[in-house]
């Protein structure tokens, strides 16, 4: 058609299509488990596991439980209220500290209001207005109330 002539013959289309079908068929044979030495197959979990049965997640869980039982962490959390308002909660301070005196120091230092709340599950919890996570963690470390590695800061 139209004055230009194709260089391919009429049978070339059929030959290239036939070659594509043969290539696809050999790929299917390899994937389905043919006797080809280069066959493809999925390996099972047992084959991938290292010798000796080392389970990395199991050991980590055991270490965390040991650490948590030996050391009391101080948890600093932020809770969203309505709109832009938020509350910072501090729990887990050592029993020797007077929570009301610590709260008074927080309130003077951060220029915010707060309260000590008695919780059934967590004991006494200090609540502060606003997101004071960085301020509280810095204050606790600077005043020697808690070590930095015993602080757990949670929140968004």
């Amino acid at each position: 058609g139209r004055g230009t002539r194709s260089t391919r013959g009429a049978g070339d289309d059929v030959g290239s299509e036939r070659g594509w079908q043969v290539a696809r068929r050999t790929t299917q044979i390899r994937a389905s488990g043919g006797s080809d030495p280069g066959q493809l197959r999925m390996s099972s979990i047992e084959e991938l596991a290292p010798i000796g049965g080392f389970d990395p997640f199991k050991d980590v869980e055991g270490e965390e439980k040991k650490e948590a039982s030996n050391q009391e962490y101080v948890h600093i959390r932020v809770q969203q209220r309505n709109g832009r308002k938020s509350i910072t909660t501090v729990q887990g301070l050592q029993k020797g500290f007077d929570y009301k005196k610590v709260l008074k120091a927080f309130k003077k230092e951060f220029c915010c209001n707060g309260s000590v709340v008695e919780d059934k599950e967590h004991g006494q919890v200090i609540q502060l207005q606003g997101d004071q996570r960085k301020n509280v963690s810095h204050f606790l470390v600077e005043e020697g109330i808690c070590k930095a590695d015993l602080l757990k800061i949670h929140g968004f």
Side-chain angles (χ1 to χ4, degrees):
R2 297 228 182 241
T4 58
R5 188 166 187 144
S6 174
T7 56
R8 292 191 315 207
D12 286 344
D13 289 338
V14 174
S16 64
E17 187 175 316
R18 176 75 183 134
W20 178 78
Q21 288 175 345
V22 169
R24 190 172 97 192
R25 178 69 186 138
T26 54
T27 306
Q28 287 175 347
I29 291 171
R30 282 187 182 165
S32 66
S35 62
D36 188 21
Q39 87 181 27
L40 303 173
R41 65 179 186 83
M42 295 181 74
S43 56
S44 67
I45 298 287
E46 288 79 25
E47 292 175 0
L48 297 175
I51 299 173
F54 174 71
D55 186 8
F57 298 109
K58 187 174 184 180
D59 290 343
V60 170
E61 288 174 0
E63 289 176 10
E64 284 180 1
K65 290 178 183 175
K66 290 177 190 173
E67 288 178 12
S69 64
N70 294 339
Q71 302 169 348
E72 289 293 324
Y73 287 110
V74 176
H75 296 275
I76 303 171
R77 293 184 174 87
V78 65
Q79 296 175 353
Q80 194 70 32
R81 278 188 12 182
N82 44 356
R84 292 174 44 195
K85 309 289 184 184
S86 59
I87 295 175
T88 303
T89 59
V90 182
Q91 72 179 54
L93 291 177
Q94 295 175 357
K95 302 295 181 195
F97 290 107
D98 184 13
Y99 274 71
K100 293 194 179 207
K101 287 186 179 180
V102 173
L103 173 66
K104 188 173 182 179
F106 283 160
K107 287 165 64 171
K108 280 190 175 186
E109 183 75 22
F110 311 142
C111 300
C112 68
N113 201 4
S115 63
V116 177
V117 177
E118 188 67 36
D119 188 46
K120 296 175 188 174
E121 197 175 320
H122 305 293
Q124 288 187 323
V125 178
I126 297 176
Q127 290 184 343
L128 299 169
Q129 286 183 349
D131 186 1
Q132 306 289 345
R133 288 175 295 175
K134 288 182 182 178
N135 296 337
V136 169
S137 62
H138 184 70
F139 182 86
L140 291 175
V141 172
E142 289 293 316
E143 295 297 322
I145 296 173
C146 182
K147 294 180 183 175
D149 57 337
L150 295 180
L151 287 176
K152 295 274 186 181
I153 301 175
H154 308 276
F156 45 85

